[in-house]
């Protein structure tokens, strides 16, 4: 095992972009053009990996697995923490790049590095000890957890840094080697993370390949990739699961959501409006666990609508590089068109728009924060994952009815209950059919707490002992005396 390098301390990032394979930064004859969603202009190109690059990366990761899997948890924790240090050292520079390719406000891009590295560091404090299942005079049965091998990590475009870091640190800490593929819409910051990884990790332990969707498919089919950690849409998640079946790959699927928030009759709407607005519209609604449906009791409905409209009016929309911007553009044309169509459909259905609803005729994929009332439960905006800044507020009079409507979906990522009576809130939250049910909060995660979806929102969990064990194979070691 080569020693950890100190080169990363003063590392100057390159002016161009490169793939990371077997410890080398390399180019390709093919490339991806990257658009700034605030201007709709191509502002950078980066190499796109082909099948040969994938083969080299898999070979390198397989070879590196031998030594890496025999290091201790403590040694691997040291590597990950050192990686976090260099990422934080470069977070302002890389945060700006993230805003250019993803669109989110610059302070949120930098915060993504902070959040991602803190989660990664905290994960390395989690112990996965050998468990003694049975011990008597004649025998001892232990449960061990072994690393799986090569883990393929596939990430989406909404939070490329935080989502890469959670899977990467989980896979590496548990003794696996990795191949990370970012979304073709947002590969640049991830490739820069590769430059920094090159200076920290032994060759072959971390490989980073950018390319189109085909690369994701090749990874899921590859016989020498042992697990796929996938974050993305339900539709693609199903394809990943299906094409992983041939090699019986392990999969963790972190998929889409249609999170409900149930606001009870005992809250002060003004006191919670800021939090609810943020949970709906941060990153312009492009968050898997954003609030995507609000169920408000009739007694506080009007006041809650007014308070949310006030928040919408105060949220400045613009280029994420402007420090005053609160909401950036949608990340790409495909998503902008999808949300624009949803908006048109919702208008046609006769629902009432109490904020936003008009798409500005300026460059950039901008849609203002849009709140919709008087909408049918069966409308697309209620039943589908909008993944954009348009949110329905639905009225209810009976809490049981609100819960039934909130649960009436194929999605089950997360949900929340808002109330001044936490006992009452907890009792209702426990009955939500979701992976995470919050009371008086939404969208909080921690390295120590499992996160993932019920129903079609996913399979397996990230974070915590539960999540980490998903990157390992349980092995029983049973010893009898003779
Ligand atoms: P997507 O499914 O279109 O793409 C995700 C990734 O999969 C990309 O890297 C893409 O190139 C790759 N891919 C595409 N086709 C593939 C295939 N056939 N095989 C393997 N990989 C393939 O998702 P998106 O539009 O990038 O992201 C938005 C979605 O991600 C939303 O539904 C959102 O809710 C979800 N998401 C979930 C979580 C979570 O933790 N549950 C977090 C963030 C985003």
């Amino acid at each position: 095992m080569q020693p950890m390098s100190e080169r990363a301390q003063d590392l100057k990032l390159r002016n161009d972009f490169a793939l990371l394979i077997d410890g080398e930064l390399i180019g390709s004859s093919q490339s991806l053009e990257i658009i700034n969603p605030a201007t709709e202009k191509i502002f950078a190109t980066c190499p796109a990996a082909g099948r040969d690059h994938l083969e080299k990366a898999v070979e390198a990761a397989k070879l590196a697995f031998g030594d890496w899997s025999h290091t201790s948890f403590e040694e691997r924790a040291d590597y990950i923490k050192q990686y976090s240090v260099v990422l934080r050292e470069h977070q302002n520079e890389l945060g700006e790049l993230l805003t250019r390719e993803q669109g989110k406000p610059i302070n949120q891009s930098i915060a993504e590095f902070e959040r991602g590295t803190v989660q990664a560091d905290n994960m390395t404090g989690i112990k996965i000890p050998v468990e003694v299942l049975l011990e008597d005079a004649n025998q001892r049965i232990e449960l061990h957890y072994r690393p799986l091998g090569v883990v393929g990590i596939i990430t989406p475009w909404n939070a490329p840094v935080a989502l890469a870091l959670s899977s990467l640190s989980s896979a590496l800490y548990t003794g696996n080697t990795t191949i990370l593929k970012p979304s073709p819409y947002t590969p640049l910051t991830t490739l820069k993370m590769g430059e920094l990884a090159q200076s920290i990790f032994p060759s072959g332990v971390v490989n980073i390949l950018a390319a189109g969707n085909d690369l994701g498919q090749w990874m899921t089919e590859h016989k020498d990739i042992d697990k796929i950690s996938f974050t993305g849409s339900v539709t693609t998640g199903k394809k990943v699961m299906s094409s992983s079946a041939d090699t019986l790959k392990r999969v963790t699927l972190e998929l889409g959501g249609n999170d409900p928030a149930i606001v009870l009759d005992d809250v002060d709407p003004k006191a919670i409006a800021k939090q609810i607005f943020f949970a709906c519209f941060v990153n312009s609604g492009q968050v898997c666990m954003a609030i995507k449906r609000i169920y408000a009791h009739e007694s506080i409905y009007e006041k809650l609508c007014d308070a949310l409209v006030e928040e919408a009016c105060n949220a400045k929309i613009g280029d994420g590089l402007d420090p005053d911007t609160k909401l950036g553009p949608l990340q790409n044309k495909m998503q902008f068109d999808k949300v624009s169509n949803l908006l048109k459909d919702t208008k046609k259905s006769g629902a009432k728009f109490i904020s936003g609803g008009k798409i500005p005729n300026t460059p950039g994929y901008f849609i203002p924060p849009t709140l919709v009332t008087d909408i049918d439960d069966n409308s697309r905006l209620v039943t589908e994952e909008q993944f954009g800044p348009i949110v329905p507020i639905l009225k209810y009079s009976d809490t049981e009815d609100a819960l039934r409507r909130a649960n009436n979906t194929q999605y089950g990522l997360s949900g929340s209950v808002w109330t001044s009576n936490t006992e009452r809130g907890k009792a209702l939250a426990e009955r939500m059919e979701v992976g995470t049910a919050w009371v008086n909060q939404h969208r909080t995660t921690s390295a120590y707490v499992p996160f993932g979806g019920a129903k079609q929102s996913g399979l397996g969990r990230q974070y915590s002992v539960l999540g980490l064990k998903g990157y390992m194979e349980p092995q029983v070691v049973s010893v009898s005396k003779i």
Side-chain angles (χ1 to χ4, degrees), residues 234 238 383-385 407-412 454-457:
V234 173
K238 288 178 184 176
T383 59
E384 292 179 15
E385 181 189 37
N407 282 339
N408 184 22
T409 168
Q410 58 164 346
Y411 292 102
K455 299 182 178 174
Q456 293 193 22
S457 284

Side-chain angles (χ1 to χ4, degrees), residues 155-157 181 184 213 216 230-233 236 254-256 288 385 387:
T155 55
W157 44 256
K181 186 203 97 63
N213 296 343
F230 173 82
T231 311
S233 62
T236 313
E254 290 287 343
L255 309 179
C288 55
E385 181 189 37
F387 217 60

Side-chain angles (χ1 to χ4, degrees), residues 133-350:
L133 302 179
L134 183 76
E135 185 164 30
D136 59 25
N138 299 318
Q139 61 176 340
R140 181 181 164 98
I141 304 178
E142 296 175 348
L143 183 57
H144 294 233
Y145 291 90
R146 300 163 58 84
L148 289 168
V150 178
V151 174
I153 299 168
I154 301 175
T155 55
W157 44 256
N158 64 323
V161 173
L163 295 169
L165 278 174
S166 71
S167 295
L168 200 58
S169 53
S170 302
L172 294 173
Y173 178 55
T174 49
N176 304 283
T177 54
T178 54
I179 297 169
L180 166 59
K181 186 203 97 63
S183 163
Y185 291 112
T186 53
L188 302 179
T189 317
T190 311
L191 291 176
K192 288 288 157 197
M193 287 167 65
E195 273 182 52
L196 294 173
Q198 184 207 26
S199 62
I200 300 286
F201 293 99
S203 300
V205 169
V206 176
N207 301 277
I208 301 188
L209 304 180
N213 296 343
D214 283 355
L215 175 63
Q217 163 106 29
W218 302 335
M219 286 167 71
T220 58
E221 288 167 352
H222 203 292
K223 69 176 179 31
D224 289 328
I225 294 184
D226 302 282
K227 175 185 169 106
I228 294 287
S229 175
F230 173 82
T231 311
S233 62
V234 173
T235 309
T236 313
K238 288 178 184 176
K239 288 186 193 159
V240 168
M241 192 163 170
S242 147
S243 86
S244 295
D246 204 35
T247 48
L248 276 184
K249 270 183 194 52
R250 277 53 182 159
V251 290
T252 298
L253 303 176
E254 290 287 343
L255 309 179
N258 192 3
D259 285 14
I262 304 179
V263 185
L264 299 189
D265 53 4
D266 57 15
V267 294
D268 172 3
K270 265 193 166 249
I272 60 165
K274 236 184 207 10
Q275 259 178 292
I276 293 208
F277 182 82
F278 187 76
C280 289
F281 291 104
V282 65
N283 200 13
S284 293
Q286 301 164 115
V287 176
C288 55
M289 53 179 148
I291 294 176
K292 295 181 178 134
R293 297 172 284 156
I294 302 171
Y295 292 90
H297 189 267
E298 60 186 0
S299 63
I300 48 90
Y301 183 82
E302 297 299 338
K303 279 196 179 136
L304 182 66
C305 289
D306 292 348
L308 289 172
V309 169
E310 198 178 321
E311 292 298 324
C313 293
N314 291 335
K316 183 173 182 292
I317 304 152
D319 190 328
L321 292 177
D322 176 346
D324 293 332
T325 291
K326 293 283 180 287
L327 300 178
L330 285 258
Q331 198 282 320
N332 57 65
K333 175 88 165 67
M334 178 268 309
Q335 192 62 20
F336 175 77
D337 288 345
K338 191 187 135 190
V339 178
S340 303
N341 280 335
L342 196 52
L343 204 143
K344 277 184 207 139
D345 263 20
T346 307
K347 263 194 186 150
K348 261 196 228 148
S349 76

Side-chain angles (χ1 to χ4, degrees), residues 77 80-81 84 88 114-127 165 169-170 173 445-449 463-465 468:
I80 290 167
K81 284 184 185 150
S84 291
R88 283 194 285 266
E114 283 161 0
R115 200 173 68 244
T117 53
V118 166
Q119 305 263 52
D121 289 352
N122 287 346
M123 210 116 64
T124 65
I126 296 171
K127 300 270 177 284
L165 278 174
S169 53
S170 302
Y173 178 55
T445 59
S446 147
Y448 307 111
V449 179
Y463 305 128
S464 79
V465 183
L468 290 175

